[in-house]
Amino acid sequence: MGLTLTEKILSAHLVSGEMIKGSEIGIKIDQTLTQDATGTMAYLEFEAMGVPRVKTEKSVAYIDHNTLQSGFENADDHRFIGSVCKKHGIFYSRAGNGICHQVHLERFGKPGKTLIGSDSHTPTGGGIGMIAIGAGGMDVAVAMGGGTYYITCPKVVKINLTGKLSPWVSAKDVIFEVLKRLSVKGGVGKVMEYTGEGVKTLSVPERATITNMGAELGATTSIFPSDEITREFLRAQDREQDYVPLCADSDAVYDEEVEINLSELVPLAACPHSPDNVKSVDELGKMKIDQVLIGSCTNSSLLDMLKVAHILKGKTVNPDVSLAIAPGSKQVLNMLAENGALGIMIAAGARILESACGPCIGMGQSPNSAGISLRTFNRNFEGRSGTKDAKIYLVSPETAAISAINGYLTNPCDMGDMPEFVLPDKFLINDNMVVAPIDEKDMESVEILRGPNIKPFPVSEPMKAEITAGVSLKVGDNITTDHIMPAGAKILPLRSNIPKISEHCFEVCDSTFPARAKEMGKSVIVGGANYGQGSSREHAALAPLYLGVKMVLTKSFARIHMANLINAGIIPAIFKNEADYDRIEEGDVLEIKGVTDSIENADTVEIKNVTKGFAFEAQINLSERQRKMLLAGGLLNYTKNNA
Ligand code: MIC
Ligand code: SF4
């Protein structure tokens, strides 16, 4: 029986477990990446492990999220991360060099390698045939120290591409189509593997747009084969030596199959407030818009920007619209400056932003009240833009650019013929903003520079035999980590300070939660299905931990968040009977006896609702290792116990 590409790479990196779908496997990690909003915590955790030099083939720290610097906090974090890099053998991509996923694809990713990153869009690397997975900071810290990374051995979904995209239809529309069909929880426990004749019609940046936004499916990752197009891309990046041809066996067996005929796709948009709320641009009609933002790790490649410049050429941004553009990397921005495309954008009236995440994570450019904003980004969760009542529509760069000119949502296909956009034979290569690791002998004397906002992270205690705790919060389905631990310009600077940031925990749902949870001392959060979808931020587990949350009880969890809860020592429990969700209210007192026994030996725990006077069961379907971790009080205690 032939193997899928996913199975080939995973089994080549397997260090524990067996390749049995649904069981836990441990894999060796070749590369890691961090960004600054999750990086400070990840490096504090790495320091706590006491490993002098990273043991990966390559670890890179990017500064791209917290670049607004409205106070000293972010700059202090950058300085801290820079000094950790110097001391521990990590490449340091300075602020201004670009968004982690874009730069990693350009300069560091390698087909066939494994990469984990403390950012959920790490699967961008699947665009060049990597197994690239988003993870919590603590998992990345362990991998940097040479430790194994654990995942559930995924099912593999074949996404068979046929045909060819019509002019002005974009890679973004491909992933919208997948999201429309599978939903934001359709990918949990699965890898999306793209194959078929249509693959060779897509360039590397287009493939990367698709794998990047596969994160929105909840998938473990997404991957394309590494083929001649990958070779061309790497050659143009002066990295042909990193190329290896990789694909699935012709008789590979997949768990599920999805057919997409690229020729049949039309421009699509994800409507508020979820990336899977997909409609066609035509269906939405000529909606008047207030803002257009082009950029983010999904759509900020040179190819995207060249298309945008072509559309803007000789035009002026509509007087009722604000258009801002953030090229994804210094390489992209520099090339746009050299080939004249940047001049075209400026002349049209675009507001050029630095190469960073910026408005994608609410760092500036919040829309006006009830504003309608078209964005080429990957997430449109409520409030993420910084304006609670804004309506965010996710669209392709082509749709965004033409709409910015017209002032209303426009189908780019109305533009008629499309010129051929080709990637250059050679990208502009200048890695001067990446600080390489220093000589091993000089590393020890490096001083770590800590700012006053950098506080120690909370560590859980070993699990107690009995938990009696009140329900401090009850929420519904599809709660994102942007609900649990919001980002944005005001809160992101607190990422290194868990006591402070926890005051904003669940602010979007119920601003009284932090005080209540603290007052209760110990508490349980009750949630619906797909709890914790979205980002990899472990702050969404560390802040609840700090506030005394002992268990999160839901209908189901998103992958990264569930791992982060276990790493933090919080029990992720799932209602055995979903109807019990309706029988619990905020304020109810829950009693769980024999917690340690159940975690050690059973797949369920019995929970008594003392207030309402009934008992019910919750599942704790965990691996041996996860059970031990919970008993020890989280990954750090567990690692120390085992050292
Ligand atoms: C996001 O897009 O939500 C982020 C900000 O990049 C997060 C990471 C974070 O919260 O720092 C992610 O995707 O993991
Ligand atoms: Fe940055 Fe946005 Fe990409 Fe997250 S999704 S890494 S915030 S650009």
Side-chain angles (χ1 to χ4, degrees):
M1 195 176 76
L3 294 179
T4 64
L5 176 54
T6 306
E7 288 158 353
K8 286 185 189 182
I9 302 178
L10 286 179
S11 45
H13 288 82
L14 194 70
V15 286
S16 78
E18 282 175 65
M19 293 290 294
I20 302 168
K21 314 264 153 112
S23 71
E24 189 178 72
I25 54 170
I27 55 171
K28 178 184 172 292
I29 295 303
D30 302 320
Q31 299 189 341
T32 64
L33 71 79
T34 58
Q35 39 91 335
D36 48 336
T38 54
T40 321
M41 219 29 83
Y43 292 114
L44 287 171
E45 289 153 353
F46 177 74
E47 282 188 306
M49 287 167 27
V51 177
R53 191 191 177 95
V54 289
K55 294 183 178 159
T56 47
E57 288 173 17
K58 183 157 270 164
S59 286
V60 190
Y62 294 90
I63 305 297
D64 56 358
H65 279 62
N66 285 351
T67 56
L68 200 58
Q69 297 164 229
S70 50
F72 64 91
E73 295 88 348
N74 294 337
D76 279 6
D77 285 357
H78 301 167
R79 195 180 53 167
F80 166 73
I81 294 172
S83 66
V84 170
C85 288
K86 218 169 176 184
K87 194 166 183 77
H88 297 288
I90 300 157
F91 287 79
Y92 179 63
S93 173
R94 295 164 57 190
N97 197 44
I99 307 174
C100 53
H101 309 303
Q102 175 66 27
V103 178
H104 207 83
L105 191 78
E106 290 168 355
R107 305 303 305 142
F108 300 116
K110 289 187 187 181
K113 297 284 182 186
T114 53
L115 162 73
I116 64 167
S118 61
D119 192 281
S120 65
H121 291 104
T122 304
T124 314
I128 49 168
M130 305 186 86
I131 285 287
I133 307 178
M138 219 180 286
D139 284 322
V140 177
V142 168
M144 285 191 287
T148 302
Y149 177 59
Y150 295 89
I151 50 169
T152 305
C153 182
K155 289 187 176 164
V156 187
V157 181
K158 173 180 186 171
I159 304 205
N160 194 45
L161 302 179
T162 54
K164 186 177 189 303
L165 290 173
S166 308
W168 303 119
V169 181
S170 174
K172 186 76 152 201
D173 301 311
V174 179
I175 188 64
F176 282 148
E177 178 66 23
V178 181
L179 274 154
K180 186 177 167 186
R181 294 202 208 172
L182 303 184
S183 91
V184 287
K185 41 181 197 273
V188 177
K190 301 171 191 171
V191 172
M192 305 291 144
E193 191 170 308
Y194 290 83
T195 65
E197 279 303 295
V199 163
K200 63 175 189 297
T201 68
L202 298 171
S203 66
V204 163
E206 290 173 303
R207 296 173 183 186
T209 292
I210 296 170
T211 58
N212 171 291
M213 224 180 144
E216 273 51 69
L217 296 160
T220 305
T221 190
S222 302
I223 189 167
F224 273 82
S226 168
D227 57 10
E228 276 310 307
I229 289 167
T230 321
R231 184 207 287 267
E232 283 308 312
F233 175 81
L234 290 171
R235 181 187 298 151
Q237 290 285 357
D238 206 10
R239 302 203 286 129
E240 197 178 353
Q241 72 281 6
D242 292 341
Y243 173 72
V244 276
L246 293 168
C247 64
D249 291 330
S250 55
D251 58 346
V253 180
Y254 291 86
D255 298 289
E256 285 168 41
E257 293 197 21
V258 176
E259 285 288 330
I260 293 185
N261 183 346
L262 299 175
S263 314
E264 286 172 1
L265 294 182
V266 295
L268 299 170
C271 307
H273 298 288
S274 181
D276 63 356
N277 188 10
V278 174
K279 296 203 169 81
S280 76
V281 167
D282 280 342
E283 208 178 323
L284 289 166
K286 291 185 168 179
M287 181 175 60
K288 199 175 167 330
I289 54 173
D290 301 294
Q291 184 190 50
V292 174
L293 299 179
I294 299 176
S296 95
C297 57
T298 330
N299 276 118
S300 58
S301 69
L302 183 68
L303 193 67
D304 288 329
M305 295 294 150
L306 292 177
K307 289 182 186 171
V308 168
H310 173 83
I311 296 168
L312 297 183
K313 189 163 186 183
K315 308 269 179 20
T316 300
V317 175
N318 186 279
D320 293 335
V321 174
S322 167
L323 167 68
I325 303 178
S329 68
K330 169 169 158 285
Q331 180 182 81
V332 173
L333 182 55
N334 221 336
M335 290 184 78
L336 295 175
E338 294 210 341
N339 67 23
L342 184 63
I344 293 171
M345 292 172 173
I346 296 170
R351 301 163 67 181
I352 306 299
L353 306 178
E354 70 173 318
S355 296
C357 299
C360 179
I361 191 55
M363 277 290 193
Q365 301 287 331
S366 297
N368 54 285
S369 298
I372 296 195
S373 175
L374 301 187
R375 302 176 165 208
T376 67
F377 305 168
N378 43 35
R379 289 185 174 146
N380 58 347
F381 303 142
E382 191 175 7
R384 183 172 158 111
S385 68
T387 303
K388 180 94 196 304
D389 60 358
K391 295 208 163 48
I392 311 296
Y393 291 79
L394 306 176
V395 295
S396 70
E398 294 85 335
T399 303
I402 182 66
S403 303
I405 299 299
N406 289 347
Y408 53 82
L409 181 66
T410 308
N411 184 337
C413 298
D414 295 350
M415 292 186 294
D417 291 346
M418 185 182 85
E420 207 192 337
F421 295 99
V422 281
L423 285 176
D425 293 339
K426 201 161 177 27
F427 288 94
L428 195 160
I429 291 150
N430 179 0
D431 292 327
N432 63 338
M433 291 296 278
V434 180
V435 184
I438 57 170
D439 245 27
E440 194 130 15
K441 62 175 178 6
D442 302 323
M443 277 172 20
E444 211 181 324
S445 60
V446 173
E447 188 199 342
I448 300 293
L449 306 168
R450 276 170 237 277
N453 185 48
I454 302 179
K455 299 281 186 261
F457 54 91
V459 180
S460 184
E461 291 167 357
M463 191 63 64
K464 299 258 170 32
E466 192 179 320
I467 298 174
T468 303
V471 175
S472 51
L473 187 74
K474 184 176 176 186
V475 286
D477 288 347
N478 289 322
I479 286 294
T480 71
T481 53
D482 279 288
H483 291 107
I484 307 172
M485 202 54 264
K490 293 191 198 87
I491 304 178
L492 272 171
L494 307 175
R495 281 289 180 92
S496 328
N497 187 338
I498 300 293
K500 255 256 83 41
I501 204 170
S502 68
E503 290 168 21
H504 300 274
C505 192
F506 274 110
E507 188 170 89
V508 239
C509 304
D510 179 353
S511 60
T512 60
F513 165 74
R516 183 167 59 248
K518 250 185 157 165
E519 164 128 18
M520 286 171 129
K522 271 184 290 184
S523 72
V524 174
I525 293 174
V526 174
N530 200 26
Y531 179 90
Q533 67 158 325
S535 93
S536 69
R537 62 190 73 148
E538 60 188 334
H539 304 74
L542 294 178
L545 170 69
Y546 177 80
L547 295 171
V549 174
K550 300 290 172 200
M551 175 187 269
V552 181
L553 177 59
T554 69
K555 294 182 186 172
S556 65
F557 286 96
R559 179 186 66 87
I560 308 178
H561 185 62
M562 176 157 163
N564 285 341
L565 286 173
I566 299 170
N567 286 351
I570 298 175
I571 309 170
I574 298 174
F575 287 104
K576 195 162 178 196
N577 177 0
E578 284 193 5
D580 289 327
Y581 168 88
D582 299 317
R583 301 167 75 195
I584 301 183
E585 277 177 294
E586 222 168 85
D588 285 1
V589 174
L590 306 181
E591 189 182 86
I592 316 156
K593 291 220 164 99
V595 183
T596 38
D597 272 357
S598 302
I599 290 180
E600 211 168 338
N601 307 308
D603 285 335
T604 54
V605 278
E606 195 185 80
I607 302 178
K608 204 166 145 195
N609 187 328
V610 181
T611 313
K612 301 260 157 58
F614 70 93
F616 63 98
E617 279 192 309
Q619 289 172 313
I620 35 167
N621 271 336
L622 303 172
S623 71
E624 238 1 75
R625 187 189 60 93
Q626 289 172 323
R627 288 170 195 273
K628 287 188 182 141
M629 224 162 28
L630 278 181
L631 291 171
L635 178 56
L636 221 68
N637 290 339
Y638 172 74
T639 311
K640 275 189 194 144
N641 294 352
N642 284 358

